[in-house]
Amino acid sequence: MPKSPPAKPDLRLVPGDAEIYDLMRTPETTSERVRRLQLEARALAVEQVEALEKVLLEAARLAREIADGGDAYPVGARELASRLHADLPAKAETLKAIVGRSL
């Protein structure tokens, strides 16, 4: 009887961000799951507020360019951009302080 070649092992790559369930751990209770999900939601909220802060600072930078752009921009646009340039960094700092207090 001829020998058949050994079967190849079933090897699969698992992405690095894949969750691995610890089989030795007891299942989460409902309250533990709620607590974990609330922590995740707070972390995502902080990330989103930080993203808004970055966008506000970028908008302030663009507003400064427009405000300093001279006659290429309409007077009303330059005035509004000048006020935005003055206001937006303070708003971003306020957001940063609020997030800092909530942690």
Side-chain angles (χ1 to χ4, degrees):
M1 184 175 221
K3 280 189 170 179
S4 61
K8 291 185 179 180
D10 185 18
L11 301 176
R12 299 175 193 190
L13 295 177
V14 178
D17 61 346
E19 288 189 34
I20 298 174
Y21 188 77
D22 183 359
L23 295 175
M24 300 304 289
R25 186 178 67 166
T26 60
E28 285 181 304
T29 65
T30 301
S31 63
E32 289 170 338
R33 185 171 179 219
V34 167
R35 204 170 303 117
R36 179 180 53 80
L37 291 172
Q38 285 174 336
L39 288 172
E40 288 179 24
R42 282 191 200 104
L44 288 172
V46 167
E47 285 178 21
Q48 192 169 27
V49 170
E50 289 171 347
L52 176 59
E53 178 190 342
K54 287 174 84 172
V55 170
L56 288 175
L57 292 174
E58 176 62 16
R61 187 191 64 74
L62 290 173
R64 169 94 187 232
E65 289 180 13
I66 292 170
D68 293 344
D71 293 336
Y73 297 95
V75 174
R78 289 192 320 248
E79 281 296 314
L80 180 59
S82 178
R83 283 186 255 137
L84 286 171
H85 171 68
D87 291 346
L88 290 179
K91 304 293 185 198
E93 284 298 316
T94 301
L95 278 174
K96 184 185 272 189
I98 289 169
V99 168
R101 285 193 306 247
S102 69
L103 295 177

